[in-house]
Amino acid sequence: MKQYNFLIVLSMTLMSSLISAQNEPVKIIEDFKASTVNQPGQEYPQVNSQGYARFQIKAPDAKSVVVSLGLGGAKGGTELAKAENGVWTGTTAGPMDEGFHYYHVTVDGGVFNDPGALNFYGSTRWESGIEIPAHDQDFYALKNVPHGNVQQILFPSNSTNTSRRAYVYTPPTYAKEQSKRFPVLYLQHGWGEDETAWSNQGRVNLIMDNLIAEGKIKPFIIVMTYGMTNEVKWGGMASFKIEPFQTVLVDELIPYVDSNFRTLANQENRAMAGLSMGGMETKTITLNKPDVFSHYALLSGGTYKPEDIKDKSKVKLVFLSCGSKERPDGVKNAVTELKNANFNAVSYVSEGTGHEFQTWRRSFKELAPLLFLNKK
């Protein structure tokens, strides 16, 4: 009986200690360093080894300064505190997910960008950006390897009665191998972003350079263009019509690229992929135009069902991905169904990330080696 009572007391003591430890605030390590996407010479914003972000804004006449950003930023934003010198400082309530995040600063109700950070187009406006160091960031790091070229092109669009912009990545050997032609991936951004997103936020050109240098992929061209031909506000995606953009992409951009770059201009050597809304565009257009694309990839952008694809002989690859904080079971189950229907289908789940660029960077790294494995 005494032993029984002793065990009860011991278990209660351990439980009390555990609860107490859980309630204790996490000690923030003071090893903060400037974010790698700060403006030149700017000390803030900063990040530490735990993934916390710290902000500092000079606004001596302000009454309130709040930073709004993603996970870890606290509901309602991270409120900054004012010092006597008029400088406001604050740290996120918790660690941020690894990778890139958009954010902005609200000063007395007005929305502004952080003067210390570089700007990136997202949420239909130029937003500040912060980079939380990732354990696997080496694959998109700037390295001493041969680099490809990202160039702007302006292509005529009769359907929209204007010239439209796209960015084209050509691999490091493109300029030297004048007799060689390359496959092409048409890569789409998400809602509220534009054709700069994949190279600026996604670092897709650096991922390509590194994979090519490591001999892990067959070099190919990437084309990135603006996916909105009829402007749609958030929450109104049901009213988005694919036909205008499909015309721009298939009837105007692809012929221009094939005429002005050394491409393998056939369905077998042409792929389409997109993140989020760009995935929706990819799914719709690939199903509408099976004679144009042979490799399909949706990154946090939905799934395909076997019955969606009428002629499986035209499809070389279906790639589906998302973050572990999204709906990974949906992606995995969709790929299982596709494999059972004899499709070459691959799933990928980015561990510890949600609907954000670290998910899509990792997804692209997994996708690229799977593209254009045919010998032609």
Side-chain angles (χ1 to χ4, degrees), residues 3 6 18 39 53 73 107 116 133 186 193 219 241 257 279 294 323 332 343 355:
Q3 184 179 11
F6 171 76
L18 179 61
Q39 297 279 0
V107 181
Y186 288 83
E193 296 167 342
K241 303 298 182 184
V257 170
S294 59
K332 294 175 183 177
F343 285 92
H355 202 71

Side-chain angles (χ1 to χ4, degrees), residues 4-37:
Y4 178 74
N5 290 335
F6 171 76
L7 290 174
I8 292 177
V9 172
L10 178 62
S11 63
M12 291 179 65
T13 301
L14 291 173
M15 183 65 70
S16 177
S17 298
L18 179 61
I19 294 172
S20 177
Q22 289 176 337
N23 291 333
E24 287 182 9
V26 175
K27 184 177 180 180
I28 298 176
I29 299 173
E30 291 297 327
D31 58 355
F32 285 88
K33 297 179 181 178
S35 167
T36 57
V37 290

Side-chain angles (χ1 to χ4, degrees), residues 201-277:
Q201 291 95 292
R203 302 190 182 181
V204 70
N205 54 312
L206 298 182
I207 299 173
M208 285 290 291
D209 293 342
N210 294 337
L211 289 173
I212 292 171
E214 294 167 8
K216 293 183 176 179
I217 65 171
K218 179 177 180 178
F220 53 86
I221 293 169
I222 302 176
V223 179
M224 301 157 279
T225 196
Y226 186 51
M228 303 295 285
T229 48
N230 49 325
E231 299 298 330
V232 178
K233 293 183 178 180
W234 180 249
M237 291 305 297
S239 63
F240 180 76
K241 303 298 182 184
I242 196 64
E243 290 79 11
F245 177 62
Q246 179 174 284
T247 297
V248 168
L249 179 68
V250 175
D251 299 335
E252 297 170 343
L253 178 56
I254 290 178
Y256 182 90
V257 170
D258 286 341
S259 296
N260 289 274
F261 293 85
R262 297 194 314 278
T263 67
L264 289 166
N266 55 46
Q267 186 258 10
E268 189 174 9
N269 288 286
R270 195 179 293 123
M272 186 172 181
L275 69 88
S276 193
M277 185 200 75

Side-chain angles (χ1 to χ4, degrees), residues 62-97:
K63 302 295 188 294
S64 170
V65 178
V66 179
V67 173
S68 299
L69 72 169
L71 300 174
K75 186 176 181 180
T78 297
E79 295 185 6
L80 309 191
K82 185 179 181 181
E84 292 183 1
N85 61 359
V87 174
W88 296 73
T89 305
T91 305
T92 54
M96 305 288 295
D97 285 350

Side-chain angles (χ1 to χ4, degrees), residues 71-376:
L71 300 174
K75 186 176 181 180
T78 297
E79 295 185 6
L80 309 191
K82 185 179 181 181
E84 292 183 1
N85 61 359
V87 174
W88 296 73
T89 305
T91 305
T92 54
M96 305 288 295
D97 285 350
E98 294 181 341
F100 174 86
H101 301 274
Y102 300 108
Y103 75 96
H104 57 259
V105 181
T106 302
V107 181
D108 292 347
V111 176
F112 304 93
N113 286 351
D114 185 341
L118 294 176
N119 296 330
F120 302 83
Y121 195 80
S123 304
T124 69
R125 66 183 296 272
W126 288 98
E127 292 263 65
S128 299
I130 190 169
E131 190 75 36
I132 306 299
H135 73 280
D136 58 346
Q137 62 189 5
D138 184 71
F139 77 87
Y140 54 86
L142 176 62
K143 300 180 182 180
N144 186 19
V145 299
H147 293 291
N149 182 44
V150 179
Q151 61 182 290
Q152 174 184 286
I153 62 170
L154 298 174
F155 63 97
S157 170
N158 292 331
S159 67
T160 58
N161 195 32
T162 186
S163 289
R164 297 179 67 87
R165 185 174 71 164
Y167 282 91
V168 180
Y169 168 86
T170 50
T173 59
Y174 181 84
K176 297 178 181 178
E177 299 178 333
Q178 290 294 320
S179 62
K180 185 174 182 179
R181 292 183 173 273
F182 295 81
V184 185
L185 167 65
Y186 288 83
L187 184 60
Q188 289 305 121
H189 59 83
W191 177 87
E193 296 167 342
D194 68 5
E195 60 273 27
T196 64
W198 265 109
S199 50
N200 287 351
Q201 291 95 292
R203 302 190 182 181
V204 70
N205 54 312
L206 298 182
I207 299 173
M208 285 290 291
D209 293 342
N210 294 337
L211 289 173
I212 292 171
E214 294 167 8
K216 293 183 176 179
I217 65 171
K218 179 177 180 178
F220 53 86
I221 293 169
I222 302 176
V223 179
M224 301 157 279
T225 196
Y226 186 51
M228 303 295 285
T229 48
N230 49 325
E231 299 298 330
V232 178
K233 293 183 178 180
W234 180 249
M237 291 305 297
S239 63
F240 180 76
K241 303 298 182 184
I242 196 64
E243 290 79 11
F245 177 62
Q246 179 174 284
T247 297
V248 168
L249 179 68
V250 175
D251 299 335
E252 297 170 343
L253 178 56
I254 290 178
Y256 182 90
V257 170
D258 286 341
S259 296
N260 289 274
F261 293 85
R262 297 194 314 278
T263 67
L264 289 166
N266 55 46
Q267 186 258 10
E268 189 174 9
N269 288 286
R270 195 179 293 123
M272 186 172 181
L275 69 88
S276 193
M277 185 200 75
M280 178 271 289
E281 293 177 326
T282 297
K283 178 179 179 179
T284 307
I285 292 175
T286 53
L287 295 179
N288 288 347
K289 298 289 183 177
D291 293 327
V292 178
F293 302 98
S294 59
H295 298 67
Y296 309 168
L298 311 181
L299 318 182
S300 304
T303 61
Y304 292 93
K305 296 179 180 179
E307 58 267 29
D308 291 335
I309 302 169
K310 306 307 178 186
D311 186 353
K312 69 176 65 176
S313 68
K314 292 183 179 296
V315 183
K316 304 299 181 185
L317 172 71
V318 178
F319 179 92
L320 306 177
S321 74
C322 67
S324 65
K325 295 184 179 182
E326 296 186 273
R327 296 180 179 178
D329 288 342
V331 164
K332 294 175 183 177
N333 293 339
V335 164
T336 297
E337 290 184 14
L338 289 164
K339 285 182 174 179
N340 291 339
N342 296 317
F343 285 92
N344 178 25
V346 176
S347 66
Y348 171 72
V349 175
S350 169
E351 189 59 39
T353 57
H355 202 71
E356 53 203 5
F357 256 104
Q358 195 67 8
T359 293
W360 306 319
R361 290 168 173 171
R362 292 172 176 169
S363 296
F364 183 85
K365 173 178 173 284
E366 299 299 317
L367 167 65
L370 305 176
L371 295 175
F372 312 119
L373 295 180
N374 52 294
K375 299 301 181 180
K376 294 182 180 179

